[in-house]
Amino acid sequence: MLSQTIQPQTMQRNASSSVELPVASGPYPLGREADHATVAINSNNDILAVFHTDLAANQKQVEVVYWRYVNGSSPETWTTVFTPPQYSDTVMVVGDSDPNPILDSGTRKCERPAVVAVDEYFCVVWSRTYTKTGPANDLSLVECAWIKWDPQAGVPGIQNGAPVIIGLGPNKEGFQLLPNNLTTGLPDPIQVEECSGVADVTGLGFDATTNTWRVMVAYVHQTQFGGTNPSNGNGERRFEMRFVECGLNPSSLAVSRFDVDYTISGIKFNGYNKLDASGSLELDTGGLILPELARGASMNTLFLTFEEQWESPPPASDPFDGRIRLGVLVRTPGTAVTLTLDALASYISPARTRRRSQLSSNDTNSVTFAFTEGDTPLDDGDLVVEEWGYVNGNLARRPYIDAPFSFMTSSSDDLRPVTVHGASNPDFRRCYFERVNATTCEILEFNPLTPEGTGNPRVIVSSPATEPLGRPATDYLYNSTTSAGAPHYVPLTYQKTVPVLGKQRVFIRSLGY
C-alpha cells in the first residue's frame, strides 16, 4: 500500500541549501524517524545515500536513495530516479525486517548501515538484530547487498535505466556474511546486546584470481556482559572484532563471501558515558567500539581504528580512562584470507575519555584521522585531527598537522567527526564535525592544512537548537574530467529534526572544491 507520492528530486553542486530525503513508501511514512545516514560516490559520479528508518518499536529497515549524475549538466546536477519493481518510488529497501525469520521470531531490526563505492558498484552492509528480553539475548546477523546502475532497466519512454539490488535472498533478506553453523546450516549469530551491531566496510579493489570486486567488513561480537554499575565490580564488558570479505563478480553478478582468519580479542568498554533519566551516570549501549576501516596503497594494506574504555573505577576516581587505537592490517590473499596486525598506536590518558575515531584514505599509505576527547563524555570536548603515515612497517604521525583543536561543544560525544583524505599535489584534507550549544546546532568544515582562525573552521549547515542536526557523513572522489576546475567531489549527509513533523530526517548536499 502506497501512502505517499514521491517524485524525483534534483541536487546541484555547491548549492546553498540541502535536499531532504524521503523515506520509503508504506504505512505511516511521515511519522517515521530516519537515522544513521551515510553516503558514497562511485566512479560514475553517482551518489548513494543510505540510512535506517523505524517501522515500530524495535523494528527498523535499511533504505537507500540513488542519485544519478547528469552528464554535461551546468551547474553539475544529480537527480533521484524511480526504482524497480513498481517504479513509483525513489527509495529502495535493502535491509527488510519483514522476511521470514532466519534465526527465530524475535523482533527484528535492520540498522546501522555502512556503505562503500567500488568502481561503479556500491556495497551496503548492515546488521539484522533479533531483540528479546533478558541478558545476552540480542543475536545478530551481518548482511549486505550490492547496487549498480542497470541501463537495461527502467521504463521505456519514461526512464532509461535504474538502480538494481544484487545479492538479496529469496525472502528479501540480505546476503549473509557470517559463516554457517555446520549442524544447523544457518548463519552463526553474534551477540550485540551492548554494542548495537556496529560494522564497517571498505573497498579493496579487483581480485583477478576470483574475478570479483572485493570489500572487507569488520564487525563486533560481545563475549562478556556486565551490569549497569561498574563501581560495584560488575561492569566488565569484553568484545572481539571479526572480519569477513565479500566479492561481486561483474560478469555473472554472483555475490560470494570469503573467510578471513583473524580476530582481535579482549577489547574492553567499561565505565559510563551518559546520564539516565534521574541524572545518574550509566553506560550508553547505543554503539560501542565503532570500527572504521580504510584501504591503504594496495588491497593488501588496511588501516583500522576503534575505541576502548579500559578501566572502570567509581565516578569519583575518574572512570573515563579511555583510548583510541589506530592500526595497520596486512592482508595475505588465499582460500582463507589472513590478516596480521603490523603496527598499532594507542592514545591513553588518565581521566580523559576518547571516542568516535574516524579515518579516511585515498588508496595511499597515509590517513587523515580524527577523534573526540574530553574530561568526561558530558563535558565540553576537543576535536583531534591528525595525519598518520605507514612506512616500513611503522606508523608515524606527520608533524605538519597541529592538534588538538579546541572546538567547544556541549558534549565531547556530540562532535562526531568525519574526515576526507583526498588527492595529493596539492594535498586535499578536510574534517567535518557537529557543534552544539544552547541556541544553535552546526556542522562545520575544518581544513587541517591551514591555520585555525577566521573562516577555518567554517559553518556548512546551521540550525536552531529546537531543530537539532548532526551525525555528518562524507565520501570523496577525485574526477578532473567532469568537474569544470573543481575536481574534488565531497557528498555530505546529515540528520535534522524537521519542524511541524518533529521527526528526524536525512539531508544531503554535494560539495565541490
Side-chain angles (χ1 to χ4, degrees), residues 368-371 383-387 401-405 419 431 446 448:
T368 299
F369 173 58
F371 59 89
L383 171 66
V384 178
V385 184
E386 300 177 343
E387 183 168 333
I401 293 186
D402 184 23
F405 305 99
T419 61
C431 179
F446 178 63

Side-chain angles (χ1 to χ4, degrees), residues 368-370 383-386 400-407 417-421 428-435 443-460 511 513:
T368 299
F369 173 58
L383 171 66
V384 178
V385 184
E386 300 177 343
Y400 63 83
I401 293 186
D402 184 23
F405 305 99
S406 296
F407 299 134
V418 292
T419 61
V420 170
H421 188 92
F428 181 88
R429 310 287 189 263
R430 292 295 188 273
C431 179
Y432 301 85
F433 61 97
E434 61 185 86
R435 179 168 60 187
I443 292 176
L444 296 97
E445 173 194 78
F446 178 63
N447 180 355
L449 299 180
T450 61
E452 179 186 353
T454 303
N456 190 36
R458 70 181 180 112
V459 176
I460 298 292
L511 305 175
Y513 306 85

Side-chain angles (χ1 to χ4, degrees), residues 1-53:
M1 179 184 70
L2 297 179
S3 57
Q4 66 176 0
T5 301
I6 298 177
Q7 296 298 322
Q9 300 165 288
T10 59
M11 172 176 62
Q12 292 183 346
R13 199 174 186 203
N14 285 330
S16 60
S17 59
S18 305
V19 179
E20 178 185 346
L21 299 183
V23 297
S25 297
Y28 311 112
L30 297 181
R32 302 217 312 266
E33 299 267 9
D35 199 0
H36 281 269
T38 186
V39 67
I41 181 169
N42 71 7
S43 58
N44 295 327
N45 287 15
D46 292 350
I47 295 171
L48 192 73
V50 185
F51 49 92
H52 74 229
T53 62

Side-chain angles (χ1 to χ4, degrees), residues 40-341:
I41 181 169
N42 71 7
S43 58
N44 295 327
N45 287 15
D46 292 350
I47 295 171
L48 192 73
V50 185
F51 49 92
H52 74 229
T53 62
D54 60 333
L55 301 176
N58 287 320
Q59 187 179 7
K60 300 176 183 179
Q61 66 184 18
V62 175
E63 305 178 9
V64 303
V65 177
Y66 196 105
W67 290 85
R68 182 68 170 163
Y69 182 72
V70 181
N71 285 312
S73 57
S74 181
E76 290 181 273
T77 301
W78 289 259
T79 181
T80 58
V81 291
F82 287 121
T83 60
Q86 289 87 8
Y87 291 96
S88 59
D89 210 333
T90 60
V91 187
M92 295 191 297
V93 176
V94 295
D96 192 333
S97 66
D98 285 337
N100 294 330
I102 302 170
L103 295 179
D104 58 32
S105 58
T107 304
R108 298 178 297 281
K109 297 186 296 183
C110 292
E111 61 178 346
R112 300 176 182 272
V115 62
V116 66
V118 186
D119 194 59
E120 64 177 299
Y121 306 95
F122 297 99
C123 182
V124 183
V125 175
W126 65 91
S127 61
R128 178 187 298 273
T129 302
Y130 295 77
T131 301
K132 291 185 173 183
T133 58
N137 265 329
D138 285 2
L139 301 179
S140 185
L141 304 175
V142 182
E143 303 181 344
C144 78
W146 294 72
I147 296 171
K148 72 178 293 286
W149 181 262
D150 184 354
Q152 305 304 315
V155 180
I158 298 177
Q159 178 176 298
N160 296 322
V164 295
I165 305 173
I166 305 165
L168 295 186
N171 296 309
K172 297 198 299 182
E173 71 275 14
F175 181 83
Q176 300 299 312
L177 291 175
L178 301 186
N180 283 343
N181 183 287
L182 296 179
T183 301
T184 66
L186 298 175
D188 252 338
I190 55 176
Q191 296 276 3
V192 299
E193 185 157 339
E194 294 177 299
C195 61
S196 296
V198 290
D200 193 39
V201 59
T202 191
L204 296 177
F206 188 75
D207 180 71
T209 303
T210 57
N211 193 37
T212 55
W213 289 102
R214 299 285 276 267
V215 299
M216 178 76 75
V217 177
Y219 59 95
V220 178
H221 165 62
Q222 187 162 5
T223 58
Q224 182 172 318
F225 297 81
T228 58
N229 185 8
S231 64
N232 64 19
N234 71 345
E236 181 74 8
R237 295 168 175 85
R238 288 182 179 268
F239 304 87
E240 64 183 28
M241 194 179 305
R242 301 175 181 177
F243 301 85
V244 65
E245 285 190 19
C246 185
L248 173 69
N249 186 308
S251 302
S252 65
L253 298 184
V255 179
S256 305
R257 64 175 301 278
F258 300 88
D259 292 326
V260 175
D261 185 16
Y262 186 64
T263 299
I264 300 177
S265 302
I267 302 171
K268 297 181 181 180
F269 203 106
N270 307 317
Y272 311 85
N273 56 5
K274 78 167 189 176
L275 294 176
D276 64 15
S278 67
S280 300
L281 287 162
E282 68 173 2
L283 178 71
D284 181 359
T285 60
L288 308 177
I289 316 305
L290 303 178
E292 290 282 337
L293 286 169
R295 194 193 108 142
S298 78
M299 66 188 302
N300 294 324
T301 304
L302 296 111
F303 291 92
L304 167 71
T305 184
F306 59 94
E307 62 180 20
E308 283 188 284
Q309 281 188 341
W310 59 295
E311 292 180 4
S312 58
S317 303
D318 298 321
F320 302 105
D321 296 2
R323 63 182 171 186
I324 294 295
R325 311 197 79 177
L326 172 67
V328 175
L329 299 169
V330 175
R331 174 183 177 272
T332 302
T335 305
V337 177
T338 60
L339 293 176
T340 54
L341 187 63

